[in-house]
Amino acid sequence: MSSISPQINEGWKNLLETEFRAPYFALLKDFLVQERARYVVFPPGKQIFSAFDHTPIDKLKVVIIGQDPYHGKGQANGLCFSVSPGISQPPSLVNIFKELQTDLGIPVPKSGNLEPWAGQGVLLLNATLTVRENTAASHQGKGWEQFTDAVIKTISENKTGVVFLLWGKYAQSKEALIDASKHHILKAAHPSPLARGAFFGCKHFSKTNEILRKQGLSEIDWRIE
């Protein structure tokens, strides 16, 4: 990953070029090189920017904000809350699918891979894009948050009518980066079991589609095969 030319969707690359050239990003790159020399880091290098590659800026309609990639072997695939095919669904994702079933009657899928959402314009953005194996929060405070905050600001400035789904206090702390006069913000508790079911009943999936429909945009097909 070059501090000047990371492997990322061209549209995003052009919009974020200032960030890639910033001193903090060079330090982040150096940190990742050192980490990979000593530890296993997730997701694999080619998937670090998967969220951007699957959801180009010109197709973006919805943003879901997570915090950290999953740190178990084979789990993280560069999309927040998503896991690679064949990997068991983590508890937060199980609860997301439960709410989806209650909200829209969509059966709970076998796969936890959310690429079908990303391909329809749902940016699945973690605030921190990498993590050390079996060590939660190990790459926080190293520069990723500065980068992803810039991503949220860039979306706010360059798009209109985007639906931001802010689940939990951490995601809701990003609300200040979003121009609420031109975008839509839906807030709910985190889907983690630690929230004791407070996420259930938010109906964010049907509400998102209603907002998109009123704007004359195609709805998200939330089904995962």
Side-chain angles (χ1 to χ4, degrees):
M1 183 179 66
S2 164
S3 60
I4 296 176
S5 257
Q7 297 300 307
I8 187 173
N9 169 272
E10 196 68 23
W12 284 110
K13 184 177 174 182
N14 293 335
L15 278 173
L16 299 168
E17 190 68 26
T18 301
E19 302 304 315
F20 296 134
R21 294 182 179 275
Y24 83 85
F25 205 87
L27 293 174
L28 172 59
K29 177 197 168 187
D30 290 343
F31 166 75
L32 289 174
V33 169
Q34 294 171 23
E35 279 285 286
R36 289 192 183 280
R38 299 176 61 194
Y39 307 103
V40 175
V41 174
F42 297 132
K46 291 182 179 180
Q47 292 185 318
I48 290 175
F49 293 108
S50 283
F52 304 93
D53 295 331
H54 284 288
T55 312
I57 183 73
D58 59 331
K59 294 184 178 180
L60 186 150
K61 296 187 284 189
V62 180
V63 179
I64 299 177
I65 298 175
Q67 189 165 1
D68 242 20
Y70 297 121
H71 55 78
K73 185 175 181 180
Q75 290 183 304
N77 64 1
L79 309 177
C80 74
F81 295 108
S82 175
V83 290
S84 299
I87 300 296
S88 297
Q89 298 170 10
S92 291
L93 186 56
V94 169
N95 283 346
I96 289 170
F97 287 151
K98 285 181 180 178
E99 174 61 21
L100 187 58
Q101 184 176 35
T102 302
D103 187 10
L104 291 174
I106 293 174
V108 174
K110 293 179 180 179
S111 173
N113 183 8
L114 302 182
E115 287 182 10
W117 295 1
Q120 297 177 75
V122 181
L123 182 68
L124 297 162
L125 181 67
N126 273 318
T128 304
L129 298 189
T130 56
V131 68
R132 187 189 304 169
E133 183 177 22
N134 297 327
T135 313
S138 49
H139 288 188
Q140 291 181 10
K142 303 297 183 181
W144 277 131
E145 294 93 339
Q146 186 171 344
F147 173 73
T148 52
D149 279 0
V151 169
I152 296 169
K153 288 180 184 177
T154 296
I155 295 168
S156 181
E157 292 168 2
N158 288 274
K159 302 283 288 185
T160 57
V162 174
V163 183
F164 288 84
L165 305 184
L166 307 183
W167 298 339
K169 291 182 180 178
Y170 183 83
Q172 289 163 20
S173 73
K174 306 298 181 179
E175 184 175 3
L177 304 171
I178 305 163
D179 183 348
S181 70
K182 56 188 285 200
H183 297 288
H184 306 272
I185 299 172
L186 299 180
K187 294 184 284 187
H190 197 279
S192 166
L194 297 176
R196 300 179 183 275
F199 175 73
F200 297 131
C202 69
K203 298 187 180 298
H204 276 189
F205 304 103
S206 60
K207 289 178 180 177
T208 294
N209 279 349
E210 182 181 0
I211 292 168
L212 295 176
R213 189 167 57 247
K214 287 181 177 178
Q215 296 183 93
L217 298 173
S218 58
E219 300 178 15
I220 305 299
D221 181 353
W222 296 104
R223 291 174 296 178
I224 303 288
E225 298 301 329

